[in-house]
């Protein structure tokens, strides 16, 4: 069995760990344990699972110092950023606790027996039930919040699905420590092994999604990774859903009035948004459309100065560093000129310089209108807002689209741009930046391909829906039904005979 | 262009129609019109679309005589059955009108700006919006309710998605007449061409799902058809969802107490359920597990006599007739013995005899535990209920699983069987039969592969979810928002700052 290696991106040093890539026989045992754990998890019920999620959040927080230190050494992300990310991870587990206690997520519907135009209709009751064990692929860029202790795990466990995690090779020790914190909370409730388990290695990831026990897979990663996992799934006799959150350009339009009204402030906001976390965020703005007028000129001057005076940033791993540099070179070859790029000492690790590129609207080729993972943004200068509609319709669909408006911008222009962006995005941001994804009930983190491949979200309360399937009971005796579907149950909102009934509190 | 042929299954006669297979240039024009129609359909709003659906229902009913006559000549199904099916089709359109007026289906969620543990959270508002034009493949066995005027069309139009139908080759004239009835209702509201259109021919179906304008596809058909459509979708650069409802064995377990309690009644119920509509229903019970004791013997004797005295039944087309006969022969070769099969005159058309096969539990091979489309059921005789769990776990997942219980049957046995069936079905039926799918809020018509390939339903109010995607607005000015997301809107239930708020009426 191959030993798992960890690399410190701050100095490029590679070290062996005590972990091993997961072989087939171990994977088989893990899948078996996950299947057996499904009954315990489902038996906990909604309120029991909510308590489990709260305990997991507390367990993660109780190990904050060690977890953040492990992640620092494996990701090169800053201590404050990782500290906040752990808070976010704990918040996600707690939010799903709230979702479970609320209970509306099971979508309980009761149709009592009734005469219909087609004859007597039977008693029918429907709710969402867990899919079964699921596979979750950790992301490189969020060692907590989109990895072992991430939102996919939280929503899958909330749904009642045992979760087998494929650790991202960029942070195996953080992954291991996170799983240990989660397992410890589950053991504290008397839970069995297999509620959450972790596998290492590419081959294990492919075998995992081919395993008959696995009922869905979730991935935050690249289009290439998604295609490889889909190819493995396609080898199954029975297809399973792959919920993939992939690539996103996140165009931002600054209208002329906004540039005049608050150009410097927007320049600062753009800089912060495209360089935060080394630009390694799926919501990083990759394209900023800025007018070619004096207001836009001043904005770009400010931004250029800000970038030129910035320091280097450590990227997550060698592959991402190389891809960043290659992509930047490709953009330049395709006609984007360097607007600002400071000199930085690359050092021993994976440090790069932030890069601001610039291109005129007619020069925005398909090659440049593509994601570059890392601290790079392309400023696209436009002469007239009427040019924007057609161009935005050629930018690949994204998780987000943003518009900055000023007091003098025309609402009709805004409405037209919103229509174009809405057709190609999952979230429209007004006068703000797409980074900093709020974890809440209304959040939607998804969009048309290649942003995601599904009509689901991977962030927010409704992401639990990915791991549930409907089940209906016809003329069932009361004692067979889940409590949520019994007549007298009033602890959750339900639809009864076509009418929504509130939860009684 | 190839002329479309229609065949009367009652006498096998083939006739040319005035219709032609849809070529590429016409398909291109259709896709363009569908794209342009999206704005009109969305602009109608929920209440406008509800009115449209009501008008479509009325239009279908106003042409009842002609539509039923067309379907009789193309399907060989009985007049009463087709008459009822048209009622069902109209009911489905009206039900989605109710769904639209209710408005909960848009899943409106508002999170006002608030301080969070991660800092200030923006104002976020989310609801479901139409996917865009969709492709619907009509089924052979329901010329109205799962075809041009079917539930897929009704739910797609309700969602706001222009719908391009691929007509089933078994009933082109019924398809054309149905589309005409629907279009007439839409024109009556001033609607443009392209809200609903119809294409003919296998090649047109494949081209349709490859067309960039098409955002999802829905199919009720065979596993083979689904694989062919998926292969065409896989040629796209951007994957789209395929909602496929495919193959289903629908096991029924009769417990010993039920056989003693009401064996003759169950025999009659089984006969009606497996022969109704020539057994050409996706919910037809294919396997009936009946005890080998005297109660079971009497039930099977009754059933055998009922089948032996039955007449022939006309199947939908030559391919289905041939497949039925081949499959029955294959089941016999695999060890199922003929329990009852009347002599019938095949005549000139596609008439077959209903067939009751029988096998002992140990003889139930994978070959026999499979769907045979048509009036065939396999009785599986078991000695002890403890044998059933393991066997049911090998029957392919189905749309439904059914249990008949008597006063003397043990609840623990029932619970165990429910657990086994629930893991492999979308609907559990107690003391009844899976055919006769109620169209209502709680219905779920779906299940694990090969029953369906998705965690969605193709019948019932929630089937609208297949044609919607979430969209979020961040810090949007009120005038940009859809009315359902404005603060003062109270006509639908919404979740605001984490709390469900009822609709004010």
């Amino acid at each position: 069995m191959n030993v798992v290696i960890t690399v410190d991106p701050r100095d490029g040093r590679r070290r062996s760990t005590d972990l091993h890539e997961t072989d087939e026989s171990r994977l088989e045992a893990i899948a078996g344990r996950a299947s057996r754990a499904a009954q315990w998890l489902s038996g906990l019920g909604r309120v029991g699972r909510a308590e489990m999620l709260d305990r997991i959040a507390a367990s993660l927080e109780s190990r904050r110092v060690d977890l953040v230190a492990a992640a620092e050494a494996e990701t090169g992300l800053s201590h404050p950023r990782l500290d906040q990310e752990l808070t976010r991870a704990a918040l996600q587990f707690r939010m799903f606790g709230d979702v479970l206690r609320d209970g509306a997520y099971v979508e309980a519907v009761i149709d009592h027996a009734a005469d219909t135009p087609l004859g007597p209709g039977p008693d029918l009751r429907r709710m969402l039930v867990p899919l079964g064990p699921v596979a979750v692929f950790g992301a490189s860029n969020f060692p907590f919040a989109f990895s072992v202790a991430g939102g996919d795990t939280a929503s899958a466990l909330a749904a009642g699905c045992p979760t087998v995690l494929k650790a991202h090779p960029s942070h195996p020790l953080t992954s291991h420590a996170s799983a240990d914190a989660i397992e410890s909370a589950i053991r504290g409730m008397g839970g069995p092994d297999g509620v959450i388990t972790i596998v290492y290695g590419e081959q294990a990831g492919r075998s995992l999604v081919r395993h008959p026990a696995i009922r869905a897979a979730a991935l935050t990663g690249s289009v290439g990774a998604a295609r490889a996992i889909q190819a493995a799934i396609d080898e199954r006799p029975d297809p399973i859903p792959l919920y993939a959150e992939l690539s996103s350009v996140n165009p931002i339009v600054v209208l002329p009035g906004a540039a005049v009204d608050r150009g410097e402030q927007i320049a600062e906001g753009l800089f912060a948004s495209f360089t935060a976390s080394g630009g390694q965020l799926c919501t990083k703005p990759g394209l900023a459309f800025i007018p070619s007028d004096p207001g836009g000129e001043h904005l770009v001057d400010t931004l250029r100065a800000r970038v030129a005076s910035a320091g280097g940033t450590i990227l997550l791993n060698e592959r991402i560093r190389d891809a960043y540099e290659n992509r930047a070179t490709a953009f330049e070859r395709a006609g984007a000129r360097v607007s600002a790029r400071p000199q930085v000492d690359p050092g021993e690790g994976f440090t790069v310089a932030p890069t601001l590129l610039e291109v005129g609207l007619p020069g925005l080729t398909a090659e440049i209108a593509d994601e570059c993972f890392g601290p790079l943004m392309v400023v696209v200068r436009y002469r007239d807002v009427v040019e924007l509609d057609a161009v935005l319709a050629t930018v690949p669909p994204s998780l987000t689209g943003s518009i900055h408006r000023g007091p003098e911008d025309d609402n009709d222009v805004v409405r037209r741009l919103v229509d174009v962006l809405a057709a190609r995005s999952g979230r429209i941001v007004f006068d703000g930046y797409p980074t900093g994804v709020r974890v809440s009930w209304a959040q939607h983190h998804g969009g048309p391909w290649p942003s995601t491949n599904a009509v689901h979200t991977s962030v927010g309360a409704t992401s639990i829906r990915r791991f549930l399937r409907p089940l209906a009971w016809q003329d069932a005796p009361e004692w067979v039904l889940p409590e949520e579907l019994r007549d007298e149950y009033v602890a959750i909102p339900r639809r009864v005979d076509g009418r929504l009934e509130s939860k009684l509190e």
Side-chain angles (χ1 to χ4, degrees), chain A residues 14-232:
Chain A
R14 298 164 56 84
R15 279 184 303 139
S16 294
T17 68
D18 293 337
L19 306 168
H20 293 86
E21 294 194 355
T22 309
D23 63 19
E24 294 292 319
S25 74
R26 189 162 152 66
L27 187 82
E28 195 57 44
I30 287 170
R33 278 200 293 271
S35 295
R36 289 188 294 277
Q39 201 171 0
W40 178 81
L41 203 52
S42 153
L44 275 183
R46 288 182 7 260
V47 175
R49 286 202 300 283
E51 187 196 331
M52 179 185 78
L53 298 177
D54 286 346
R55 284 180 184 228
I56 290 171
S59 178
L60 290 167
E61 284 176 333
S62 76
R63 301 186 188 190
R64 179 182 290 273
V65 173
D66 290 347
L67 286 169
V68 169
E72 269 192 276
E74 289 191 307
T75 66
L77 294 167
S78 74
H79 190 287
R81 142 71 205 257
L82 290 166
D83 195 64
Q84 196 187 44
E85 189 186 330
L86 191 72
T87 302
R88 178 191 169 104
L91 178 73
Q92 292 182 148
F93 281 95
R94 292 203 176 94
M95 179 188 70
F96 284 108
D98 293 342
V99 170
L100 291 179
R101 279 181 280 256
D102 172 87
Y105 83 96
V106 301
E107 297 181 8
V109 186
I110 297 176
D111 291 331
H112 290 104
D115 285 328
T116 80
L118 299 169
D123 182 283
L124 267 183
R125 297 169 191 237
R126 165 200 186 268
M127 65 179 259
L128 303 184
V129 300
L131 272 184
V134 300
V136 168
F137 289 74
S140 62
N141 57 342
F142 280 89
F144 303 125
F146 285 83
S147 192
V148 172
D152 288 339
T153 305
S155 54
L157 293 180
C161 298
T163 304
V164 184
L165 285 131
K166 154 71 172 59
H168 195 280
S170 245
H171 48 257
L173 295 175
T174 312
S175 297
H176 178 75
S178 301
D180 196 58
I182 296 172
E183 283 173 330
S184 142
I186 293 167
R187 273 196 307 273
M189 291 181 76
D193 283 354
V195 176
I196 172 176
T197 352
I198 191 164
V199 301
Y200 300 92
E202 294 307 304
Q203 182 54 46
R206 282 192 295 271
S207 299
L208 180 61
V209 298
R210 280 195 301 252
H211 197 283
I214 295 299
R215 307 312 309 159
L219 162 76
T220 304
S222 65
V223 173
R227 293 216 189 265
I229 294 169
Q230 187 62 56

Side-chain angles (χ1 to χ4, degrees), chain A residues 278-470:
Chain A
Q280 301 162 114
L281 301 175
C282 43
T283 51
K284 181 206 78 173
L287 291 176
F289 293 85
I290 296 175
S292 293
D293 60 15
E297 201 55 41
H298 184 59
L299 190 163
V300 175
D301 282 345
T302 313
L303 181 55
R304 220 177 265 141
R306 190 68 186 80
V307 173
S309 68
T313 185
I314 303 163
L315 297 191
L316 292 158
N317 60 47
E318 192 168 6
R319 196 186 55 71
I320 288 174
R321 192 266 317 265
D322 293 348
Y324 170 76
E325 291 181 341
N326 291 336
R327 186 54 72 100
T329 305
F331 283 15
E332 290 168 50
R333 282 214 196 96
R337 64 183 177 282
V338 177
S339 183
R341 178 189 279 153
Q343 286 290 336
V344 306
D345 174 8
E348 302 290 304
F350 311 135
T351 297
V352 300
T355 301
L356 188 71
L357 300 181
E358 204 172 330
V359 71
L361 195 72
L364 183 63
T365 62
E367 180 141 38
I368 298 173
D370 200 354
E371 186 182 49
C372 171
F373 201 67
L376 179 145
M377 187 173 75
V378 180
V379 166
V380 186
R381 306 300 295 274
Y382 67 90
R383 294 197 179 280
D384 194 320
V385 288
V386 299
E387 303 170 318
L388 288 176
D389 301 18
V391 169
L392 286 171
T394 67
V395 173
S398 288
L399 291 165
T400 70
S402 305
I403 302 180
H404 286 259
R405 308 158 301 140
E408 294 182 18
D409 290 312
D410 186 350
N411 285 351
D412 288 343
V413 169
V414 173
R415 191 180 289 284
R416 227 179 45 233
L417 290 173
V418 167
D419 285 345
V420 175
L421 290 174
R424 310 174 67 77
S425 320
R427 177 164 52 105
I428 313 293
V429 178
F430 293 83
D431 305 321
Y433 307 91
T435 47
V437 179
R438 183 177 177 188
V439 176
S440 69
W441 291 88
Q443 188 55 272
H444 177 61
H445 193 65
W449 177 274
S451 156
T452 56
N453 73 329
V455 293
H456 289 87
T457 179
S458 63
V459 179
T462 56
S463 62
I464 193 174
R465 184 68 179 79
R466 296 173 296 169
F467 302 116
L468 297 163
R469 68 182 177 99

Side-chain angles (χ1 to χ4, degrees), chain A residues 470-483:
Chain A
L471 184 60
W473 288 256
Q474 179 171 320
D475 291 330
E478 178 113 332
W479 60 266
V480 163
L481 292 168
E483 62 176 358

